[in-house]
Amino acid sequence: MSIKMGTGDLAKYPFLNEAGEYLRQSGFGWDELDRPDTKDIIERAAERVRIAAAGNVYEKLDRYETEILTFIVTLIMVKSIGLEPVLRKYALAEARRAEKFLTDDLKKQSDAQKRALFSKIFEDLFGLKIDVTEDGRLFKVKVTDYLMRSSHFHEQEWKMINRLVQGGQVFLDADETVRLVRNELSVLITSRVRAMNLPTLPQSIKQKVEELRTELAPRYEYRTYAVTDYPPCVKHALEVMARGENLPHSARLMLATYMLAIGKPIDEIVEMFKNAPDFNERITRYQVEHLAGSKGSRTKYSVPSCEKLRTENLCFATAECNGIINPVQFGRKKRK
């Protein structure tokens, strides 16, 4: 069964090639964005960028054609703003938006429609073949494909020992299946923005880009922390955060426990994670408080040893690390 993508589908999945073809066939030109009646598209696009930069997901889907154009304009705006943390947050927010629509569609559609949607999005874009179980309730993916995509998930439910596996296939529900490709969707959108060659922009977009850059740039300037007094593993983690990239779970735990160990206030530690594309202040604060022993099990977590960090590829030792067995010792030596 082939799937015909309508404007409603393209508004939900505007990263598909069909969305670009739709715009070409509509004859829409960039100059038209300076017309007064297209002001709404510019404003919606700016709103979409602002929401993504705040770590949230743009949810509007009330006017399909407008949303397709809005997505294209946001790509141009993010490219023109030229701030890497904004690009990463935007790409993740768009991936999460598509993830929500995909999950809803897979739960509502027939088995044949599900297979067609998988073929269109998962197989065409990411080379991931997914099948539907006979009763239509679960989805199956090859063990090798599952491992390649789930290896960076740290929650226990993603471990192979906790999965239903049969005949070389891993069984997943709709939410899990879509979650499996969130990172690839984010990478796809990031690469599309980076590869863009911008035309001469309409004045309306230029003005909005300047407004957004002025508004967003200060958020990232003060979050480039002085890192010279920290051990190399912590310094590396902070540099990754300053670039607006996500740290793996184990690196976040190391960073947070180290900062707690040297007496950083929880508010300052939470602030350190604000550059992360997937930052959520409520969740981050709870996790830091949990590590500090003030929430959950009330157990205060220690900084992982250098040996453990080496096994997790988080050790970036230099000559100054000689003899220490835990990153907190490096800090103590520097303060003497």
Side-chain angles (χ1 to χ4, degrees):
M1 176 182 178
S2 62
I3 186 168
K4 183 173 175 56
M5 307 298 282
T7 52
D9 298 311
L10 297 180
K12 287 187 281 188
Y13 313 117
F15 45 82
L16 292 173
N17 293 332
E18 284 86 343
E21 184 59 31
Y22 168 81
L23 285 179
R24 276 189 288 276
Q25 290 181 1
S26 71
F28 189 87
W30 293 119
D31 291 343
E32 294 179 58
L33 289 170
D34 272 338
R35 290 186 344 220
D37 61 337
T38 58
K39 184 180 178 183
D40 181 49
I41 294 171
I42 305 294
E43 293 299 330
R44 280 187 179 230
E47 178 190 7
R48 195 159 172 161
V49 174
R50 285 191 178 99
I51 289 173
N56 299 313
V57 176
Y58 175 82
E59 295 185 342
K60 286 182 180 174
L61 191 65
D62 52 341
R63 292 155 53 188
Y64 297 153
E65 294 184 0
T66 296
E67 294 308 340
I68 297 170
L69 279 168
T70 297
F71 174 75
I72 302 299
V73 173
T74 57
L75 295 180
I76 294 171
M77 285 181 171
V78 171
K79 173 81 174 183
S80 302
I81 290 169
L83 294 171
E84 185 68 15
V86 173
L87 168 58
R88 290 182 182 278
K89 281 179 175 283
Y90 170 75
L92 179 61
E94 289 294 340
R96 289 170 61 200
R97 173 179 162 91
E99 181 181 338
K100 173 183 176 297
F101 292 134
L102 262 175
T103 303
D104 290 345
D105 281 348
L106 291 177
K107 288 177 179 175
K108 293 174 186 170
Q109 293 181 342
S110 68
D111 290 354
Q113 288 173 320
K114 288 175 186 173
R115 289 189 178 90
L117 192 59
F118 278 137
S119 174
K120 173 62 65 180
I121 295 180
F122 290 76
E123 218 169 320
D124 289 2
L125 289 178
F126 308 122
L128 177 62
K129 185 169 175 53
I130 296 175
D131 206 353
V132 186
T133 57
E134 289 184 3
D135 62 7
R137 293 189 305 164
L138 293 173
F139 305 95
K140 299 184 290 185
V141 57
K142 285 182 182 175
V143 168
T144 49
D145 286 335
Y146 176 83
L147 288 174
M148 185 169 70
R149 292 168 172 84
S150 66
S151 59
H152 59 283
F153 298 159
H154 298 277
E155 295 85 352
Q156 286 299 312
E157 62 265 30
W158 291 99
K159 306 296 181 190
M160 277 295 287
I161 195 172
N162 296 321
R163 306 305 317 185
L164 174 60
V165 182
Q166 195 172 55
Q169 304 272 334
V170 182
F171 291 69
L172 306 164
D173 63 24
D175 299 83
E176 293 167 336
T177 305
V178 175
R179 175 69 182 87
L180 210 56
V181 296
R182 179 197 291 174
N183 187 56
E184 284 169 276
L185 266 172
S186 177
V187 170
L188 172 74
I189 293 167
T190 301
S191 62
R192 291 260 177 98
V193 171
R194 286 181 175 152
M196 289 177 78
N197 290 313
L198 293 180
T200 301
L201 299 182
Q203 193 60 30
S204 57
I205 294 185
K206 280 184 184 177
Q207 290 174 351
K208 193 57 71 175
V209 165
E210 284 306 313
E211 185 181 314
L212 286 168
R213 186 185 294 119
T214 302
E215 178 183 326
L216 297 175
R219 298 187 188 182
Y220 303 102
E221 289 170 356
Y222 70 91
R223 286 177 192 144
T224 302
Y225 301 98
V227 295
T228 52
D229 291 331
Y230 297 131
C233 51
V234 172
K235 183 177 178 181
H236 178 267
L238 288 171
E239 288 170 347
V240 171
M241 297 294 292
R243 293 198 298 268
E245 299 176 16
N246 273 327
L247 282 173
H249 174 75
S250 50
R252 296 180 192 215
L253 186 145
M254 180 271 293
L255 180 60
T257 53
Y258 176 85
M259 292 300 168
L260 288 167
I262 65 171
K264 282 276 185 189
I266 285 176
D267 284 346
E268 287 187 28
I269 299 173
V270 171
E271 186 77 9
M272 287 181 174
F273 289 92
K274 281 196 170 178
N275 268 7
D278 60 354
F279 176 75
N280 179 300
E281 182 170 352
R282 181 181 60 79
I283 294 174
T284 302
R285 182 173 297 281
Y286 177 83
Q287 291 172 335
V288 173
E289 290 175 346
H290 180 78
L291 293 173
S294 55
K295 288 283 174 66
S297 63
R298 305 287 173 179
T299 301
K300 185 175 182 179
Y301 284 71
S302 302
V303 184
S305 68
C306 296
E307 182 179 357
K308 183 169 178 58
L309 295 177
R310 277 193 290 275
T311 64
E312 294 176 331
N313 296 319
L314 297 176
C315 176
F316 300 89
T318 65
E320 290 181 287
C321 294
N322 187 34
I324 66 171
I325 59 173
N326 192 290
V328 291
Q329 294 173 315
F330 183 97
R332 288 169 187 162
K333 286 185 177 181
K334 296 289 285 186
R335 285 194 289 271
K336 285 178 180 178

